[in-house]
Amino acid sequence: DAKTTQPPSMDCAEGRAANLPCNHSTISGNEYVYWYRQIHSQGPQYIIHGLKNNETNEMASLIITEDRKSSTLILPHATLRDTAVYYCIVRVAINFGNEKLTFGTGTRLTIIP
Amino acid sequence: NAGVTQTPKFQVLKTGQSMTLQCAQDMNHEYMSWYRQDPGMGLRLIHYSVGAGITDQGEVPNGYNVSRSTTEDFPLRLLSAAPSQTSVYFCASSLSRTPGNTIYFGEGSWLTVV
């Protein structure tokens, strides 16, 4: 299974762009990179996902390197409400399309006023 | 649209008791799963289901049973609660089993076994 490595914690000033890195060097060609976040005491919230190309939605941008071994989640203008644990996840397909998510321990992002 | 709904939100059990955590989704999703989250360990998959009548084990299935009699519901049963099962439990669902579909999570169930 492809595993992900993330820094345990990061700080970012309010209003600045938060750049969260993720290493997934063993990713396979048909595996997607997903990002979720979890605000204290709540369920994980979907942010964005991608396969090869960079992606952008109303919440964030996802930059995937050409070799797909790493990616960066960008929150363009961080607010205090973005303080959360961010999980980078590789979706693994096993057994005729059955799949599981492998969650690591994530990055605790703290937005500083 | 309620999404993924879990009940109860909080529960305290005595060792040896049994209980069922309920999970329901109203999005007609094929794929549903249960995770537990413990400090410093991220989320670990307990059981999952790819459709009504089909279930399978995840990483940490011991001490838990599941069933999927309908598309909407995926209850998780603790057969004989142990203190090691003290955790936060999350139910999740997605439209289908293929990668590329968004997975939605419930708000969690906090379980304490004393």
Side-chain angles (χ1 to χ4, degrees), chain A residues 9-20 35-40 42 45-47 57-61 73-87 107-113:
Chain A
S9 64
M10 293 180 63
D11 294 337
C12 179
E14 187 178 16
R16 301 295 295 270
N19 295 274
L20 290 86
W35 283 83
Y36 282 78
R37 73 181 182 184
Q38 189 172 23
I39 297 170
H40 182 62
Q42 297 182 19
Q45 177 190 23
Y46 168 79
I47 302 173
N57 63 20
E58 64 279 4
M59 289 182 67
S61 295
L73 176 74
I74 302 172
L75 307 177
H77 305 287
T79 71
L80 297 178
R81 287 183 292 182
D82 292 322
T83 292
V85 177
Y86 288 76
Y87 294 99
T107 296
R108 182 172 298 278
L109 175 67
T110 302
I111 306 302
I112 300 170

Side-chain angles (χ1 to χ4, degrees), chain A residues 30 32 34 36 38 41-46 49 87 91 93-105, chain B residues 9 31 35 37 40-43 45 48 50 59 90 94 96-107 110:
Chain A
N30 63 347
Y32 287 75
Y34 274 72
Y36 282 78
Q38 189 172 23
S41 300
Q42 297 182 19
Q45 177 190 23
Y46 168 79
H49 73 277
Y87 294 99
R91 287 189 72 165
I94 55 173
N95 297 334
F96 306 102
N98 301 338
E99 63 173 333
K100 66 177 183 179
L101 295 181
T102 300
F103 281 76
T105 53
Chain B
K9 181 83 170 178
Y31 183 86
Y35 290 83
Q37 185 173 35
M41 300 194 70
L43 277 80
L45 181 67
Y48 65 96
V50 298
E59 289 180 75
F90 291 100
S94 69
S96 77
R97 62 190 75 177
T98 57
N101 286 301
T102 300
I103 293 184
Y104 298 90
F105 286 84
E107 289 302 306
W110 273 251

Side-chain angles (χ1 to χ4, degrees), chain B residues 6-24:
Chain B
Q6 291 181 232
T7 56
K9 181 83 170 178
F10 299 99
Q11 182 73 48
V12 179
L13 284 179
K14 294 183 179 179
T15 297
Q17 286 185 319
S18 62
M19 77 156 297
T20 299
L21 299 178
Q22 302 291 345
C23 176

